[in-house]
Amino acid sequence: MKIKRPLIVTVALVGLAAPAAVTATPASAAVTGQMPSHHGHKAPVVRELATFAAAGCEGSCGSGSTVGPDGALYVTDGIGGRVVRIDPRTGRMTTFASGLPLQVAGLGGAIDVAFLGHTAYVLVTLVGPFFGQPDVVDGIYRVNKDGSLAVIADIGAWSTLNPPTTDYFVASGLQYAMQPYGDGFLVTDGHHNRVLKVKLDGKIEELMAFDDIVPTGLEVSGHRVYMGEAGPVPHRPETGRVVAFSSRSSNAREVASGASLIVDVEFGPRHQLYALSQGLWDLPNDPANAGAPASPNTGELVRVEPDGTFTTVVGDLDRPTSVEFIDEAAYVITLTGKVIKIDHISGSSR
């Protein structure tokens, strides 16, 4: 994959803004992008729950997220080198972990977070020797009980020694999302076009390699892995896909396609599969536009249908980056550093 691909994916999801006060929005806030109710069910209700980015944030201010064992939302802050905990009811934000490598050149740093049991792990990317930081590790960090950090896997070093078959520019890759799987994690690399299997003892292996499809978010159900594909520049809807595979698969099977720049995939209420489209990418297909995210207010939360299509649940989202589900609500992180809460999600499902 050429350099213009990873930069677009990076800007789409990497980093949050520096620490700032949270602004909770009342439930009466203006609702945008709602779809009509179906069969008497309540229509989804959209409101801003919290703002965790500095005022006037532009660029890569939103990133990866997960739901912790305590039921709270955890989001990575690449600019601040931390993980923030957000109360899903009130929007109150506190710092859960700090001292992670800071992003450089406005990209990278802490990009995703996941839990194994009650222990948090943070994925850090686009730092380290390739970026002039010889003592910084590009990989997975464990958050210890006392708040200290421990590196469990140096993915950047492994990737440099084990380059992909597709074109690349950054030797250490762009590790994009991680998901607990077995005795470790699966990690997508949006630059090297592959999925890695990383164990807690630091062992790394390539689970699956792809052509230039830009793998993004991950979800796991049993032994089956679901993965989003942003697709190569210029991110046409036909290349925005959700695919599925297992650890024994030789290739990925298409589950659904037709939404531009898919950045995440998650199961919601009643085990319904959803995907997150960052929106329309309508810039000229020119290297000068490398790094540009989707157009503002064109993102969508979409439902995966049995016939392989997507149905829009909520539209008009401003450059969303990741989504989590807690009970009957969806929580969408945006590039501008906001948490958008969408209630009555299942009311729009079949």
Side-chain angles (χ1 to χ4, degrees):
M1 184 169 59
K2 298 179 175 61
I3 183 61
K4 61 183 179 179
R5 275 75 167 186
L7 287 181
I8 288 172
V9 175
T10 304
V11 172
L13 281 186
V14 72
L16 306 180
V22 173
T23 301
T25 303
S28 59
V31 176
T32 61
Q34 292 186 33
M35 298 299 291
S37 60
H38 297 272
H39 308 298
H41 294 296
K42 293 182 179 179
V45 177
V46 184
R47 67 184 177 96
E48 182 183 315
L49 177 70
T51 299
F52 51 85
C57 170
E58 296 293 339
S60 53
C61 299
S63 192
S65 59
T66 193
V67 178
D70 60 349
L73 186 67
Y74 291 78
V75 185
T76 50
D77 177 353
I79 293 175
R82 63 177 187 157
V83 175
V84 296
R85 178 189 184 276
I86 300 174
D87 188 304
R89 294 177 297 107
T90 66
R92 181 176 181 269
M93 182 180 72
T94 55
T95 296
F96 170 74
S98 60
L100 292 155
L102 303 178
Q103 65 175 234
V104 294
L107 305 171
I111 195 169
D112 204 4
V113 56
F115 282 84
L116 277 178
H118 285 79
T119 302
Y121 296 83
V122 185
L123 181 65
V124 175
T125 192
L126 294 182
V127 297
F130 186 87
F131 297 90
Q133 301 171 307
D135 300 323
V136 178
V137 174
D138 186 334
I140 296 178
Y141 290 68
R142 183 183 67 239
V143 181
N144 297 320
K145 290 182 179 180
D146 62 359
S148 62
L149 303 168
V151 176
I152 69 159
D154 189 337
I155 302 178
W158 184 92
S159 297
T160 300
L161 294 174
N162 298 272
T165 57
T166 52
D167 293 340
Y168 66 94
F169 178 79
V170 180
S172 53
L174 193 173
Q175 294 76 49
Y176 181 77
M178 70 175 179
Q179 185 75 19
Y181 191 79
D183 57 351
F185 300 94
L186 297 183
V187 176
T188 54
D189 191 319
H191 182 28
H192 288 179
N193 284 294
R194 58 189 178 186
V195 175
L196 305 178
K197 187 176 182 180
V198 184
K199 294 187 177 181
L200 295 180
D201 62 4
K203 182 181 179 181
I204 303 170
E205 61 181 85
E206 182 180 276
L207 180 65
M208 186 167 292
F210 304 92
D211 293 329
D212 187 11
I213 51 86
V214 189
T216 56
L218 290 167
E219 178 67 299
V220 172
S221 178
H223 295 289
R224 186 165 296 278
V225 180
Y226 294 84
M227 186 184 77
E229 295 181 4
V233 175
H235 303 303
R236 300 301 186 202
E238 56 268 26
T239 63
R241 305 195 306 163
V242 172
V243 299
F245 57 90
S246 72
S247 59
R248 298 180 180 179
S249 301
S250 58
N251 52 57
R253 173 182 63 86
E254 180 176 302
V255 175
S257 64
S260 57
L261 224 168
I262 296 293
V263 292
D264 203 2
V265 56
E266 295 286 338
F267 279 105
R270 297 161 182 80
H271 207 63
Q272 171 66 56
L273 189 61
Y274 294 84
L276 193 63
S277 164
Q278 195 179 78
L280 300 177
W281 200 89
D282 56 3
L283 298 172
N285 188 6
D286 187 289
N289 293 319
S295 298
N297 304 311
T298 62
E300 296 181 327
L301 178 64
V302 298
R303 183 176 63 241
V304 176
E305 302 292 2
D307 63 357
T309 61
F310 294 119
T311 295
T312 299
V313 176
V314 172
D316 301 334
L317 297 172
D318 190 6
R319 292 159 289 179
T321 60
S322 63
V323 61
E324 304 295 336
F325 292 89
I326 302 175
D327 297 326
E328 296 291 323
Y331 295 80
V332 175
I333 311 302
T334 75
L335 189 68
T336 55
K338 299 181 184 298
V339 178
I340 306 300
K341 183 177 182 180
I342 307 171
D343 286 305
H344 309 311
I345 281 294
S346 60
S348 64
S349 300
R350 294 177 178 178

